[in-house]
């Protein structure tokens, strides 16, 4: 009898439910084959996107790494026994620490790791390596929205309500997110708002999501890239001026309204139109629609968050939600759409540089004492706060910076901003270790690559975009030669003589995590595998003795006085939109077929065939001016680098803007152009706006495969 295992998708935060059935066991040279189907679950209702239904290809891929790989003096890789590879790593880690101090060792984690791996990675870094230098790719993803949520509500859970609550909404404002391509099954939850004519999408591009507003389903607002903060200040101004605020809610549940009102006084509609390009009538209609009181949600995505003012923009979206009285009420709310599979849990259990498990602050003496108790170490042995991701990477090769780096679940040479600088930094390291199941572009630069188990080969938990803790389950045995990261941490900790325990059993690690989180903001202490396996829909906080919290902020916010904070934020007044001839604004983002740096999806034949390369989207008028033909080759340049790719001429983008996906490496890598300037509050880089020049290439200059 073949058994079917209930688990979830390896990719994004929607965590669509799947059923896996092994059709062929793993062999020493290849992962197992599985049959995969969608499974009923509230978020995906049995549906999967193209990435989800082709995910089985990842397990059986001929590209998998099946043995530890060691770089040879001639630069090539050769397989090595596990014992030898681990001995070498332990020796280099201990040597680096002895010679240059514990903070010369860096650790880079990922929002795709299970809660158990993320927790153990944070503990391993602090105790076994003694380093403060740990951060993760969620810094590129969720940090601005998280910072805004923390300062406004005193808590950061992306959606403080179950996704299904959106079904009953009459109005949904989506700012800078394209779920029709980034979470396709999610758009079913927009049907109610579309039927009520209330889906409003704010995006400089006419995306697949923006097109869902057609035929009376709502409206598309197409602002100048990076002008969302002004747009939101303008909407707040109109809501206040037209007395559309919910005064009872403001009085009873918030503080800071008077200052907020003063701070938006200058943003009258005409001025907002001048900065954003959004007509005043559209602004007024939008404000009135949001205040119509029929079930209204405001959702943000990376389009508004990945900016140097991303925290302030997310804060303005929250302020708008608060004056309208949406947050923590029936059938209305505010949320951010978390991105990576465990983007939510990955930011709760200690792989952030400033954080301990349970979303505790590493600088808080009580938090340190509690976690030290669980770890059975002295609080003083836990290092202090480290450096956020962009700074951590920038310190490679700098004096006092990191000299050794361990990477778990990120492909930074493709996905970090200012990628050429990151590549140079990685090259300057004394020693680089990458754990992955593929030779990602970052793994290809390593001294040692350790092959790890994949999603269908491991147990664990993931916390989805709605703050629901779900079970990832082992459906197939891993090929011989591959190991779990929990095992790797245990083996290295033993070789390093580290204090505390490093269990290889995910259920045991979860129980420890639950204890470490007890009493913290993200409290998992009432949860266990047993309870999750009974099918309990478990939303955190889930303290022992409770039944969890599907909906947050019903009675109070998490600040001591129970009230939400309205933080007045100010917009930098932008220079006149780039008038200089030939200068265009580049925005970057995602395509349906590829996931992140593409390390996984570029290895799935069906996806690679559908989208084999990056294309620069540009408007026909802009293309004509530059002499660029659809499908023709272009150079996209700025002071940081060059991208060479083909053009895709499309009416769906503004004249002054071009778009590149960031899923491709090498000469097509969008991050060769992005700036590593960061948001001062969150450390989030400005992926969504940079300036470039575009030049059509003549025949003889074309790319290699033209
Ligand atoms: N297919 C696919 N799905 C994914 C992923 C993937 O890589 N591929 N990654 C997952 C992850 S980790 C994440 S974080 C999510 C991200 O999901 P989204 O936030 O939906 O993805 P993006 O494409 O990065 O950005 C969304 C939109 O922001 C718009 N935008 C750019 N600049 C601006 C601006 O200044 N203002 C406004 N209003 N909009 C702007 C872009 O045109 C784009 O359509 O997707 C998840 N799902
Ligand atoms: N220009 C631009 N750049 C961006 C963005 C953008 O919109 N524009 N978006 C940013 C965002 S939101 C994000 S989230 C980042 C993501 O960017 P990355 O961090 O590069 O994300 P992935 O490509 O998912 O890389 C994950 C790597 O880890 C491996 N992996 C997966 N699961 C595991 C595991 O359990 N253990 C280990 N050891 N390895 C694993 C995969 O094979 C892959 O090589 O990119 C950011 N970069
Ligand atoms: S939407 Fe996300 S979770 Fe669902 S199948 Fe697609 S990639 Fe997987
Ligand atoms: Mo992300």
């Amino acid at each position: 009898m073949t058994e079917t295992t209930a688990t979830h998708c390896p990719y994004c935060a929607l965590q669509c439910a799947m059923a896996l059935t092994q059709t062929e066991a793993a062999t020493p040279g290849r992962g197992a084959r599985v049959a995969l189907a969608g499974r009923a679950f509230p978020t995906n209702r049995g549906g999967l996107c193209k990435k989800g239904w082709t995910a089985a290809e990842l397990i059986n891929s001929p590209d998998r790494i099946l043995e530890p790989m060691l770089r040879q003096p001639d630069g090539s890789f050769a397989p090595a026994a596990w014992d030898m590879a681990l001995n070498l790593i332990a020796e280099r880690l201990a040597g680096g620490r002895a010679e240059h101090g514990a903070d010369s060792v860096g650790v880079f984690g990922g929002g795709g790791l299970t809660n158990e791996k993320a927790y153990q990675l944070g503990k391993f870094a602090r105790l076994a390596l003694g380093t403060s230098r740990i951060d993760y790719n969620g810094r590129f993803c969720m940090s601005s929205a998280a910072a805004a949520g923390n300062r406004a509500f005193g808590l950061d859970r992306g959606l403080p309500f179950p996704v299904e609550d959106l079904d009953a909404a009459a109005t949904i404002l989506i700012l800078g997110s394209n779920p029709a391509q980034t979470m396709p099954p999610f758009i079913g939850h927009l049907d109610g708002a579309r039927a009520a004519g209330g889906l409003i999408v704010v995006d400089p591009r006419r995306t697949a999501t923006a097109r869902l507003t057609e035929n009376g389903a709502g409206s598309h607002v197409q602002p100048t890239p990076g002008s969302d903060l002004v747009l939101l200040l303008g909407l707040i101004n109109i809501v206040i001026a037209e007395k559309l605020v919910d005064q009872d809610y403001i009085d009873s549940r918030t503080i800071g309204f008077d200052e907020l009102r003063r701070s938006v006084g200058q943003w009258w509609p005409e001025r907002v139109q001048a900065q954003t390009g959004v007509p005043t009538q559209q602004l007024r209609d939008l404000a009135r629609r949001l205040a119509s009181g029929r079930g209204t949600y405001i959702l943000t995505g990376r389009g508004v968050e990945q900016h140097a003012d991303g925290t302030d923009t997310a804060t303005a979206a929250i302020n708008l939600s608060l004056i309208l009285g949406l947050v923590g009420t029936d059938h209305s709310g505010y949320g951010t759409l978390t991105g990576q599979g465990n983007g939510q849990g990955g930011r709760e259990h200690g792989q952030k540089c400033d954080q301990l498990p349970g979303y505790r602050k590493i600088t808080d003496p009580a938090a340190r004492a509690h976690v030290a108790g669980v770890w059975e170490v002295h609080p003083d042995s836990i290092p202090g706060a480290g450096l956020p991701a962009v700074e951590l990477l920038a310190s490679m090769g700098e004096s006092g910076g990191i000299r050794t780096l361990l990477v778990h679940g990120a492909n930074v040479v493709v996905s970090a901003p200012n990628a050429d600088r990151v590549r140079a930094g990685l090259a300057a390291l004394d020693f680089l270790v990458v754990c992955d199941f593929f030779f990602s572009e970052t793994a290809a630069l390593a001294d040692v690559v350790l092959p790890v188990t994949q999603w269908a080969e491991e147990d664990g938990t993931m916390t989805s975009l709605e703050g629901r803790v779900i079970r990832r389950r082992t459906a197939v045995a891993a090929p011989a030669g591959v190991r779990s990261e929990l095992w790797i941490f245990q083996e290295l900790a033993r070789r390093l003589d580290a204090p505390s325990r490093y269990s290889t059993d995910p259920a045991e690690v979860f129980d420890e995590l639950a204890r470490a989180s007890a009493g913290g903001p993200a409290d998992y202490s009432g949860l266990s595998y047993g309870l999750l396996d009974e099918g309990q829909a478990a939303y955190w906080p889930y303290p022992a003795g409770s039944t969890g919290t599907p909906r947050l902020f019903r009675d109070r916010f998490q600040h001591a006085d129970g009230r939400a904070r309205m933080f007045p934020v100010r917009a930098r007044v932008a220079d006149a939109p780039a008038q200089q001839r030939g200068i265009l604004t580049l925005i970057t983002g995602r395509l349906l077929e590829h996931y992140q740096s593409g390390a996984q999806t570029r290895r799935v034949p069906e996806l690679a065939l559908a989208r084999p390369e990056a294309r620069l989207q540009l408007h026909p008028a802009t293309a004509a001016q530059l002499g660029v033909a659809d499908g023709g080759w272009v150079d996209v340049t700025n002071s940081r680098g060059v991208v060479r790719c083909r053009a895709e001429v499309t009416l769906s983008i503004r004249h002054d803007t071009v778009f590149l996906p960031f899923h491709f490496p090498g000469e097509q890598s969008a991050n060769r152009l992005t700036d590593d300037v960061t948001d001062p509050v969150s450390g989030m880089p400005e992926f969504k706006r940079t300036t470039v020049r575009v030049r059509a290439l003549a025949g003889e200059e074309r790319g290699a495969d033209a």
Side-chain angles (χ1 to χ4, degrees), residues 113 117 137 141 306 340 409-411 415 435-437 485 588 590 596-597 599 671 687-688:
L113 302 179
K117 291 194 256 185
N137 68 6
C141 180
Q306 288 171 328
Q340 297 185 85
N411 188 10
S415 60
C435 286
D436 208 307
F437 25 81
E485 266 152 312
T588 64
R590 294 163 165 82
Q596 318 277 55
S597 71
N671 280 321
F687 286 124
K688 288 292 189 272

PDB file of all heavy atoms in Angstrom, residues 113 117 137 141 306 340 409-411 415 435-437 485 588 590 596-597 599 671 687-688, ligand 2:
ATOM      1  N   LEU A 113      13.548  28.313   6.354  1.00  0.00           N
ATOM      2  CA  LEU A 113      13.864  27.278   7.351  1.00  0.00           C
ATOM      3  C   LEU A 113      12.644  27.016   8.224  1.00  0.00           C
ATOM      4  O   LEU A 113      11.905  27.942   8.549  1.00  0.00           O
ATOM      5  CB  LEU A 113      15.025  27.746   8.254  1.00  0.00           C
ATOM      6  CG  LEU A 113      16.351  28.120   7.593  1.00  0.00           C
ATOM      7  CD1 LEU A 113      17.348  28.579   8.663  1.00  0.00           C
ATOM      8  CD2 LEU A 113      16.925  26.944   6.808  1.00  0.00           C
ATOM      9  N   LYS A 117      14.604  24.656  12.727  1.00  0.00           N
ATOM     10  CA  LYS A 117      15.946  24.966  12.212  1.00  0.00           C
ATOM     11  C   LYS A 117      16.325  26.414  12.524  1.00  0.00           C
ATOM     12  O   LYS A 117      17.474  26.692  12.894  1.00  0.00           O
ATOM     13  CB  LYS A 117      15.997  24.717  10.698  1.00  0.00           C
ATOM     14  CG  LYS A 117      15.910  23.246  10.338  1.00  0.00           C
ATOM     15  CD  LYS A 117      16.297  23.022   8.881  1.00  0.00           C
ATOM     16  CE  LYS A 117      15.109  22.773   8.020  1.00  0.00           C
ATOM     17  NZ  LYS A 117      15.481  22.447   6.625  1.00  0.00           N
ATOM     18  N   ASN A 137      17.716  36.407   5.605  1.00  0.00           N
ATOM     19  CA  ASN A 137      17.172  37.078   4.426  1.00  0.00           C
ATOM     20  C   ASN A 137      15.806  37.718   4.649  1.00  0.00           C
ATOM     21  O   ASN A 137      15.339  38.477   3.812  1.00  0.00           O
ATOM     22  CB  ASN A 137      17.140  36.107   3.228  1.00  0.00           C
ATOM     23  CG  ASN A 137      16.138  34.983   3.416  1.00  0.00           C
ATOM     24  OD1 ASN A 137      15.375  34.966   4.372  1.00  0.00           O
ATOM     25  ND2 ASN A 137      16.125  34.027   2.487  1.00  0.00           N
ATOM     26  N   CYS A 141      12.967  41.251   3.431  1.00  0.00           N
ATOM     27  CA  CYS A 141      11.598  40.874   3.093  1.00  0.00           C
ATOM     28  C   CYS A 141      10.572  41.495   4.025  1.00  0.00           C
ATOM     29  O   CYS A 141       9.697  42.216   3.592  1.00  0.00           O
ATOM     30  CB  CYS A 141      11.520  39.348   3.131  1.00  0.00           C
ATOM     31  SG  CYS A 141       9.922  38.669   2.756  1.00  0.00           S
ATOM     32  N   GLN A 306       9.808  47.726   0.480  1.00  0.00           N
ATOM     33  CA  GLN A 306      11.240  47.641   0.144  1.00  0.00           C
ATOM     34  C   GLN A 306      11.767  48.975  -0.380  1.00  0.00           C
ATOM     35  O   GLN A 306      12.185  49.100  -1.533  1.00  0.00           O
ATOM     36  CB  GLN A 306      11.476  46.531  -0.877  1.00  0.00           C
ATOM     37  CG  GLN A 306      11.309  45.141  -0.243  1.00  0.00           C
ATOM     38  CD  GLN A 306      11.329  44.016  -1.256  1.00  0.00           C
ATOM     39  OE1 GLN A 306      10.899  44.205  -2.381  1.00  0.00           O
ATOM     40  NE2 GLN A 306      11.802  42.844  -0.858  1.00  0.00           N
ATOM     41  N   GLN A 340       8.040  34.571   2.484  1.00  0.00           N
ATOM     42  CA  GLN A 340       8.658  33.254   2.414  1.00  0.00           C
ATOM     43  C   GLN A 340       7.849  32.214   3.189  1.00  0.00           C
ATOM     44  O   GLN A 340       7.110  32.551   4.112  1.00  0.00           O
ATOM     45  CB  GLN A 340      10.069  33.306   2.987  1.00  0.00           C
ATOM     46  CG  GLN A 340      10.995  34.204   2.197  1.00  0.00           C
ATOM     47  CD  GLN A 340      12.406  34.134   2.719  1.00  0.00           C
ATOM     48  OE1 GLN A 340      13.168  33.268   2.338  1.00  0.00           O
ATOM     49  NE2 GLN A 340      12.758  35.044   3.608  1.00  0.00           N
ATOM     50  N   GLY A 409      20.076  28.605   3.840  1.00  0.00           N
ATOM     51  CA  GLY A 409      18.773  28.951   3.287  1.00  0.00           C
ATOM     52  C   GLY A 409      18.681  30.325   2.660  1.00  0.00           C
ATOM     53  O   GLY A 409      17.634  30.973   2.739  1.00  0.00           O
ATOM     54  N   ALA A 410      19.754  30.774   2.010  1.00  0.00           N
ATOM     55  CA  ALA A 410      19.705  32.036   1.272  1.00  0.00           C
ATOM     56  C   ALA A 410      20.735  31.964   0.143  1.00  0.00           C
ATOM     57  O   ALA A 410      21.727  31.249   0.253  1.00  0.00           O
ATOM     58  CB  ALA A 410      20.021  33.215   2.190  1.00  0.00           C
ATOM     59  N   ASN A 411      20.447  32.720  -0.894  1.00  0.00           N
ATOM     60  CA  ASN A 411      21.344  32.753  -2.057  1.00  0.00           C
ATOM     61  C   ASN A 411      21.748  34.203  -2.286  1.00  0.00           C
ATOM     62  O   ASN A 411      21.354  34.842  -3.251  1.00  0.00           O
ATOM     63  CB  ASN A 411      20.609  32.157  -3.265  1.00  0.00           C
ATOM     64  CG  ASN A 411      21.513  31.978  -4.474  1.00  0.00           C
ATOM     65  OD1 ASN A 411      22.735  32.129  -4.389  1.00  0.00           O
ATOM     66  ND2 ASN A 411      20.916  31.668  -5.610  1.00  0.00           N
ATOM     67  N   SER A 415      20.356  37.519  -4.426  1.00  0.00           N
ATOM     68  CA  SER A 415      19.197  38.207  -3.845  1.00  0.00           C
ATOM     69  C   SER A 415      19.525  39.426  -2.994  1.00  0.00           C
ATOM     70  O   SER A 415      18.635  40.207  -2.676  1.00  0.00           O
ATOM     71  CB  SER A 415      18.386  37.228  -3.003  1.00  0.00           C
ATOM     72  OG  SER A 415      19.199  36.714  -1.968  1.00  0.00           O
ATOM     73  N   CYS A 435      25.088  25.498   3.373  1.00  0.00           N
ATOM     74  CA  CYS A 435      24.224  24.312   3.424  1.00  0.00           C
ATOM     75  C   CYS A 435      23.108  24.519   2.414  1.00  0.00           C
ATOM     76  O   CYS A 435      22.415  25.538   2.459  1.00  0.00           O
ATOM     77  CB  CYS A 435      23.605  24.155   4.808  1.00  0.00           C
ATOM     78  SG  CYS A 435      24.759  23.573   6.034  1.00  0.00           S
ATOM     79  N   ASP A 436      22.916  23.588   1.522  1.00  0.00           N
ATOM     80  CA  ASP A 436      21.857  23.731   0.512  1.00  0.00           C
ATOM     81  C   ASP A 436      21.617  22.366  -0.090  1.00  0.00           C
ATOM     82  O   ASP A 436      22.374  21.424   0.175  1.00  0.00           O
ATOM     83  CB  ASP A 436      22.271  24.748  -0.575  1.00  0.00           C
ATOM     84  CG  ASP A 436      21.073  25.455  -1.224  1.00  0.00           C
ATOM     85  OD1 ASP A 436      20.150  24.761  -1.693  1.00  0.00           O
ATOM     86  OD2 ASP A 436      21.073  26.699  -1.271  1.00  0.00           O
ATOM     87  N   PHE A 437      20.565  22.253  -0.902  1.00  0.00           N
ATOM     88  CA  PHE A 437      20.427  20.987  -1.629  1.00  0.00           C
ATOM     89  C   PHE A 437      20.813  21.152  -3.092  1.00  0.00           C
ATOM     90  O   PHE A 437      20.873  20.200  -3.836  1.00  0.00           O
ATOM     91  CB  PHE A 437      19.023  20.380  -1.493  1.00  0.00           C
ATOM     92  CG  PHE A 437      17.940  21.371  -1.196  1.00  0.00           C
ATOM     93  CD1 PHE A 437      17.381  22.118  -2.198  1.00  0.00           C
ATOM     94  CD2 PHE A 437      17.502  21.539   0.112  1.00  0.00           C
ATOM     95  CE1 PHE A 437      16.372  23.025  -1.919  1.00  0.00           C
ATOM     96  CE2 PHE A 437      16.493  22.454   0.405  1.00  0.00           C
ATOM     97  CZ  PHE A 437      15.938  23.198  -0.618  1.00  0.00           C
ATOM     98  N   GLU A 485      19.719  19.564   8.833  1.00  0.00           N
ATOM     99  CA  GLU A 485      20.500  20.628   9.471  1.00  0.00           C
ATOM    100  C   GLU A 485      20.560  20.443  10.982  1.00  0.00           C
ATOM    101  O   GLU A 485      21.541  20.817  11.619  1.00  0.00           O
ATOM    102  CB  GLU A 485      19.928  21.996   9.104  1.00  0.00           C
ATOM    103  CG  GLU A 485      20.661  22.567   7.902  1.00  0.00           C
ATOM    104  CD  GLU A 485      19.853  23.511   7.055  1.00  0.00           C
ATOM    105  OE1 GLU A 485      18.704  23.174   6.710  1.00  0.00           O
ATOM    106  OE2 GLU A 485      20.379  24.588   6.724  1.00  0.00           O
ATOM    107  N   THR A 588      12.013  46.349  -9.193  1.00  0.00           N
ATOM    108  CA  THR A 588      12.289  44.918  -9.318  1.00  0.00           C
ATOM    109  C   THR A 588      11.216  44.128  -8.576  1.00  0.00           C
ATOM    110  O   THR A 588      10.570  44.656  -7.679  1.00  0.00           O
ATOM    111  CB  THR A 588      13.663  44.555  -8.725  1.00  0.00           C
ATOM    112  OG1 THR A 588      13.632  44.833  -7.325  1.00  0.00           O
ATOM    113  CG2 THR A 588      14.790  45.312  -9.377  1.00  0.00           C
ATOM    114  N   ARG A 590       8.759  40.121  -8.930  1.00  0.00           N
ATOM    115  CA  ARG A 590       8.620  38.687  -9.175  1.00  0.00           C
ATOM    116  C   ARG A 590       7.792  38.326 -10.394  1.00  0.00           C
ATOM    117  O   ARG A 590       6.911  39.068 -10.794  1.00  0.00           O
ATOM    118  CB  ARG A 590       7.972  38.067  -7.940  1.00  0.00           C
ATOM    119  CG  ARG A 590       8.887  38.161  -6.757  1.00  0.00           C
ATOM    120  CD  ARG A 590       8.176  37.956  -5.453  1.00  0.00           C
ATOM    121  NE  ARG A 590       9.168  37.706  -4.416  1.00  0.00           N
ATOM    122  CZ  ARG A 590       9.843  38.676  -3.796  1.00  0.00           C
ATOM    123  NH1 ARG A 590       9.602  39.943  -4.063  1.00  0.00           N
ATOM    124  NH2 ARG A 590      10.761  38.381  -2.904  1.00  0.00           N
ATOM    125  N   GLN A 596      12.129  33.619  -5.848  1.00  0.00           N
ATOM    126  CA  GLN A 596      13.303  34.296  -5.289  1.00  0.00           C
ATOM    127  C   GLN A 596      14.501  34.283  -6.227  1.00  0.00           C
ATOM    128  O   GLN A 596      14.401  34.627  -7.379  1.00  0.00           O
ATOM    129  CB  GLN A 596      13.684  33.642  -3.952  1.00  0.00           C
ATOM    130  CG  GLN A 596      12.517  33.308  -3.077  1.00  0.00           C
ATOM    131  CD  GLN A 596      12.055  34.473  -2.298  1.00  0.00           C
ATOM    132  OE1 GLN A 596      11.759  35.511  -2.875  1.00  0.00           O
ATOM    133  NE2 GLN A 596      11.993  34.357  -1.002  1.00  0.00           N
ATOM    134  N   SER A 597      15.665  33.839  -5.697  1.00  0.00           N
ATOM    135  CA  SER A 597      16.879  33.853  -6.511  1.00  0.00           C
ATOM    136  C   SER A 597      16.809  32.822  -7.632  1.00  0.00           C
ATOM    137  O   SER A 597      17.722  32.724  -8.445  1.00  0.00           O
ATOM    138  CB  SER A 597      18.091  33.545  -5.630  1.00  0.00           C
ATOM    139  OG  SER A 597      18.063  32.183  -5.240  1.00  0.00           O
ATOM    140  N   ALA A 599      17.095  29.710  -7.409  1.00  0.00           N
ATOM    141  CA  ALA A 599      17.966  28.543  -7.183  1.00  0.00           C
ATOM    142  C   ALA A 599      17.181  27.246  -7.313  1.00  0.00           C
ATOM    143  O   ALA A 599      17.709  26.232  -7.771  1.00  0.00           O
ATOM    144  CB  ALA A 599      18.611  28.635  -5.794  1.00  0.00           C
ATOM    145  N   ASN A 671      20.036  42.573  -9.117  1.00  0.00           N
ATOM    146  CA  ASN A 671      20.678  43.159  -7.937  1.00  0.00           C
ATOM    147  C   ASN A 671      22.089  43.686  -8.193  1.00  0.00           C
ATOM    148  O   ASN A 671      22.702  44.266  -7.292  1.00  0.00           O
ATOM    149  CB  ASN A 671      20.642  42.182  -6.762  1.00  0.00           C
ATOM    150  CG  ASN A 671      19.280  42.206  -6.088  1.00  0.00           C
ATOM    151  OD1 ASN A 671      18.680  43.283  -5.943  1.00  0.00           O
ATOM    152  ND2 ASN A 671      18.767  41.053  -5.725  1.00  0.00           N
ATOM    153  N   PHE A 687      15.023  47.761  -2.576  1.00  0.00           N
ATOM    154  CA  PHE A 687      14.978  46.955  -3.801  1.00  0.00           C
ATOM    155  C   PHE A 687      14.055  47.544  -4.858  1.00  0.00           C
ATOM    156  O   PHE A 687      14.158  47.205  -6.025  1.00  0.00           O
ATOM    157  CB  PHE A 687      14.442  45.563  -3.485  1.00  0.00           C
ATOM    158  CG  PHE A 687      15.401  44.665  -2.767  1.00  0.00           C
ATOM    159  CD1 PHE A 687      15.048  44.083  -1.557  1.00  0.00           C
ATOM    160  CD2 PHE A 687      16.649  44.362  -3.312  1.00  0.00           C
ATOM    161  CE1 PHE A 687      15.909  43.217  -0.904  1.00  0.00           C
ATOM    162  CE2 PHE A 687      17.509  43.500  -2.665  1.00  0.00           C
ATOM    163  CZ  PHE A 687      17.140  42.926  -1.461  1.00  0.00           C
ATOM    164  N   LYS A 688      13.111  48.354  -4.417  1.00  0.00           N
ATOM    165  CA  LYS A 688      12.036  48.712  -5.333  1.00  0.00           C
ATOM    166  C   LYS A 688      12.260  50.016  -6.078  1.00  0.00           C
ATOM    167  O   LYS A 688      11.371  50.433  -6.816  1.00  0.00           O
ATOM    168  CB  LYS A 688      10.701  48.766  -4.581  1.00  0.00           C
ATOM    169  CG  LYS A 688      10.181  47.388  -4.173  1.00  0.00           C
ATOM    170  CD  LYS A 688       9.768  46.548  -5.379  1.00  0.00           C
ATOM    171  CE  LYS A 688       9.050  45.274  -5.013  1.00  0.00           C
ATOM    172  NZ  LYS A 688       9.972  44.145  -4.776  1.00  0.00           N
TER     173      LYS A 688
HETATM  174  N1  LIG B   2      15.985  43.081  -6.491  1.00  0.00           N
HETATM  175  C1  LIG B   2      15.291  42.409  -5.581  1.00  0.00           C
HETATM  176  N2  LIG B   2      15.925  41.602  -4.718  1.00  0.00           N
HETATM  177  C2  LIG B   2      15.224  40.948  -3.758  1.00  0.00           C
HETATM  178  C3  LIG B   2      13.818  41.106  -3.653  1.00  0.00           C
HETATM  179  C4  LIG B   2      13.160  41.957  -4.600  1.00  0.00           C
HETATM  180  O1  LIG B   2      11.928  42.131  -4.595  1.00  0.00           O
HETATM  181  N3  LIG B   2      13.941  42.591  -5.532  1.00  0.00           N
HETATM  182  N4  LIG B   2      13.137  40.447  -2.668  1.00  0.00           N
HETATM  183  C5  LIG B   2      13.861  40.054  -1.466  1.00  0.00           C
HETATM  184  C6  LIG B   2      13.076  39.097  -0.678  1.00  0.00           C
HETATM  185  S1  LIG B   2      11.500  39.602  -0.233  1.00  0.00           S
HETATM  186  C7  LIG B   2      13.550  37.917  -0.273  1.00  0.00           C
HETATM  187  S2  LIG B   2      12.611  36.953   0.788  1.00  0.00           S
HETATM  188  C8  LIG B   2      14.913  37.481  -0.646  1.00  0.00           C
HETATM  189  C9  LIG B   2      15.051  35.988  -0.849  1.00  0.00           C
HETATM  190  O2  LIG B   2      16.218  35.654  -1.478  1.00  0.00           O
HETATM  191  P1  LIG B   2      17.068  34.346  -1.123  1.00  0.00           P
HETATM  192  O3  LIG B   2      17.465  34.409   0.284  1.00  0.00           O
HETATM  193  O4  LIG B   2      18.190  34.233  -2.054  1.00  0.00           O
HETATM  194  O5  LIG B   2      15.976  33.221  -1.342  1.00  0.00           O
HETATM  195  P2  LIG B   2      15.993  31.864  -2.114  1.00  0.00           P
HETATM  196  O6  LIG B   2      16.250  31.981  -3.555  1.00  0.00           O
HETATM  197  O7  LIG B   2      14.711  31.230  -1.673  1.00  0.00           O
HETATM  198  O8  LIG B   2      17.234  31.128  -1.487  1.00  0.00           O
HETATM  199  C10 LIG B   2      17.113  30.109  -0.597  1.00  0.00           C
HETATM  200  C11 LIG B   2      18.280  29.139  -0.797  1.00  0.00           C
HETATM  201  O9  LIG B   2      18.247  28.214   0.252  1.00  0.00           O
HETATM  202  C12 LIG B   2      17.989  26.896  -0.234  1.00  0.00           C
HETATM  203  N5  LIG B   2      17.087  26.304   0.754  1.00  0.00           N
HETATM  204  C13 LIG B   2      15.755  26.209   0.757  1.00  0.00           C
HETATM  205  N6  LIG B   2      15.327  25.603   1.880  1.00  0.00           N
HETATM  206  C14 LIG B   2      16.413  25.346   2.646  1.00  0.00           C
HETATM  207  C15 LIG B   2      16.628  24.761   3.944  1.00  0.00           C
HETATM  208  O10 LIG B   2      15.705  24.346   4.631  1.00  0.00           O
HETATM  209  N7  LIG B   2      17.915  24.710   4.383  1.00  0.00           N
HETATM  210  C16 LIG B   2      18.951  25.164   3.633  1.00  0.00           C
HETATM  211  N8  LIG B   2      20.174  25.095   4.140  1.00  0.00           N
HETATM  212  N9  LIG B   2      18.789  25.678   2.409  1.00  0.00           N
HETATM  213  C17 LIG B   2      17.536  25.792   1.932  1.00  0.00           C
HETATM  214  C18 LIG B   2      17.465  27.045  -1.635  1.00  0.00           C
HETATM  215  O11 LIG B   2      17.822  25.955  -2.429  1.00  0.00           O
HETATM  216  C19 LIG B   2      18.134  28.359  -2.084  1.00  0.00           C
HETATM  217  O12 LIG B   2      19.402  28.127  -2.638  1.00  0.00           O
HETATM  218  O13 LIG B   2      15.285  38.168  -1.855  1.00  0.00           O
HETATM  219  C20 LIG B   2      15.279  39.539  -1.717  1.00  0.00           C
HETATM  220  N10 LIG B   2      15.890  40.140  -2.897  1.00  0.00           N
END
